[in-house]
Amino acid sequence: LGQQIICNAEVTAVEMPDGNFKVLYTHNGKEKTLESQSLVITTGGLPIPKMGATDFALRFARNHQLNIIETAPALVPLTITGKDEDWYAHLSGNSVFCKVSNEKISFEENLLFTHWGLSGPAILQISSYWKPGEVFNLDLLPGKDISAIIETERKTNGKSLLSTIFNRLYPKKFTDALAKFLPIEKQVASLTKEELELIHKTIHLFKVKPAGDKGYDKAEVMRGGIDTNELSSKTLACKKIPNLYFGGECVDVTGWLGGYNFQWAWASGFVIAQNI
Ligand SMILES: Cc1cc2nc3c(=O)[nH]c(=O)nc-3n(C[C@H](O)[C@H](O)[C@H](O)COP(=O)(O)OP(=O)(O)OC[C@H]3O[C@@H](n4cnc5c(N)ncnc54)[C@H](O)[C@@H]3O)c2cc1C
């Protein structure tokens, strides 16, 4: 079909003389140009600069007065600092199934404790809906009721320690760590009403206030990007600049874990190719 693929080239600028596109790029140390009637920009988002990520698309859009939805790392581990830092770090390597939620969304997935905070699918998912300063909740026993489990134990074996119940539900190290908040070495029959309430709240409504995220070096995707309102929803053509298209991660379309970001990159490329 006569296409030419130029690898290992860096586009440094795009000019638009007479309604055409003039692409300036460096290749093998030489500065070159090529001209075209149409241009597709799919230079991705900001995650992992070491792997070649650049802000080219965002910069180009900004320079041409296209609206950009605020960008931030997404599908990214979160950090914990301050008084709780040691508690989380001590649990590094342990994983717990949970329901993570905030006022926008919830996910049932594993969370992973790390020496700097939290990771694992539950945390990567909620990170896309989290902003610095916000708190989210962990239900550490989704689909079950810790109060009902304790009540049954109180009736059948009141001398059981709370830690015995927790050890059936969690890794031992996590049970031990819960001693910071709960009387885990107490017999279940002797737990007071206040203690039972505290146990319920701690297990089903564990509050987490991350200090920040691990940034674009560790993020799997960028949220935000070129406003979809700037593009035709049918062709992904830019409404303000004829014959210009944007696709993939530089556009404000962000997927959950599970291949949806690849899917968007490929699907948007397909749509543009049908319409160019
Ligand atoms: C570690 C990691 C794991 C991931 N895992 C998954 C996953 O499991 N499932 C999933 O769906 N998504 C995943 N993603 C996200 C997914 O890879 C991206 O959303 C997708 O690749 C975006 O495609 P794209 O074509 O828009 O951009 P990219 O794949 O980023 O491609 C853009 C290309 O443009 C190049 N470029 C940038 N600026 C210039 C310039 N000025 N000149 C020339 N070239 C330039 C870049 O070097 C890059 O090669 C992951 C991302 C990361 C970082």
Side-chain angles (χ1 to χ4, degrees), residues 9-12 42-45 47-48 51-54 56 219-221 247-250 258-263 265:
E10 184 188 354
V11 175
T12 50
T42 57
T43 49
I48 326 250
M51 281 167 57
T54 75
F56 181 85
E220 279 193 19
V221 76
E249 197 176 317
C250 64
Y260 300 104
N261 291 296
F262 283 142
Q263 171 61 31

Side-chain angles (χ1 to χ4, degrees), residues 34-75:
L34 56 82
E35 290 187 31
S36 67
Q37 289 176 339
S38 303
L39 181 69
V40 180
I41 298 184
T42 57
T43 49
L46 300 174
I48 326 250
K50 267 190 216 155
M51 281 167 57
T54 75
D55 66 348
F56 181 85
L58 299 174
R59 218 169 351 111
F60 180 90
R62 214 172 276 124
N63 289 342
H64 291 85
Q65 286 75 48
L66 303 180
N67 190 41
I68 291 175
I69 304 299
E70 188 183 355
T71 56
L75 298 181

Side-chain angles (χ1 to χ4, degrees), residues 118-182:
L118 289 170
S119 188
I123 297 306
L124 298 187
Q125 293 281 47
I126 200 77
S127 74
S128 299
Y129 297 86
W130 175 84
K131 284 191 181 142
E134 288 180 2
V135 173
F136 58 78
N137 300 313
L138 298 178
D139 181 344
L140 296 163
L141 205 57
K144 293 183 186 158
D145 181 352
I146 190 65
S147 301
I149 292 172
I150 292 173
E151 193 48 37
T152 305
E153 193 78 12
R154 273 154 79 97
K155 284 181 186 148
T156 54
N157 192 5
K159 288 190 175 167
S160 288
L161 301 179
L162 184 57
S163 60
T164 309
I165 297 179
F166 284 162
N167 278 331
R168 279 186 227 138
L169 302 169
Y170 303 117
K172 182 167 182 326
K173 201 156 182 185
F174 186 66
T175 298
D176 293 346
L178 286 172
K180 178 173 178 189
F181 314 105
L182 302 175

Side-chain angles (χ1 to χ4, degrees), residues 164-275:
T164 309
I165 297 179
F166 284 162
N167 278 331
R168 279 186 227 138
L169 302 169
Y170 303 117
K172 182 167 182 326
K173 201 156 182 185
F174 186 66
T175 298
D176 293 346
L178 286 172
K180 178 173 178 189
F181 314 105
L182 302 175
I184 64 164
E185 293 311 330
K186 219 169 160 180
Q187 292 182 341
V188 288
S190 59
L191 290 168
T192 64
K193 188 168 169 273
E194 289 72 30
E195 284 168 337
L196 288 168
E197 280 170 11
L198 179 66
I199 293 165
H200 192 91
K201 212 171 147 190
T202 305
I203 296 301
H204 291 295
L205 204 64
F206 192 96
K207 304 251 175 223
V208 181
K209 188 173 184 188
D213 61 54
K214 289 293 275 180
Y216 283 116
D217 282 349
K218 299 285 176 203
E220 279 193 19
V221 76
M222 172 185 85
R223 72 173 126 138
I226 295 161
D227 191 342
T228 52
N229 289 316
E230 297 284 7
L231 310 177
S232 155
S233 59
K234 287 204 174 112
T235 65
L236 296 174
C238 180
K239 291 177 187 168
K240 290 178 186 154
I241 305 172
N243 302 318
L244 174 67
Y245 300 78
F246 289 98
E249 197 176 317
C250 64
V251 178
D252 175 34
V253 174
T254 312
W256 288 357
L257 276 186
Y260 300 104
N261 291 296
F262 283 142
Q263 171 61 31
W264 163 245
W266 297 327
S268 57
F270 178 82
V271 166
I272 294 168
Q274 301 303 302
N275 289 286

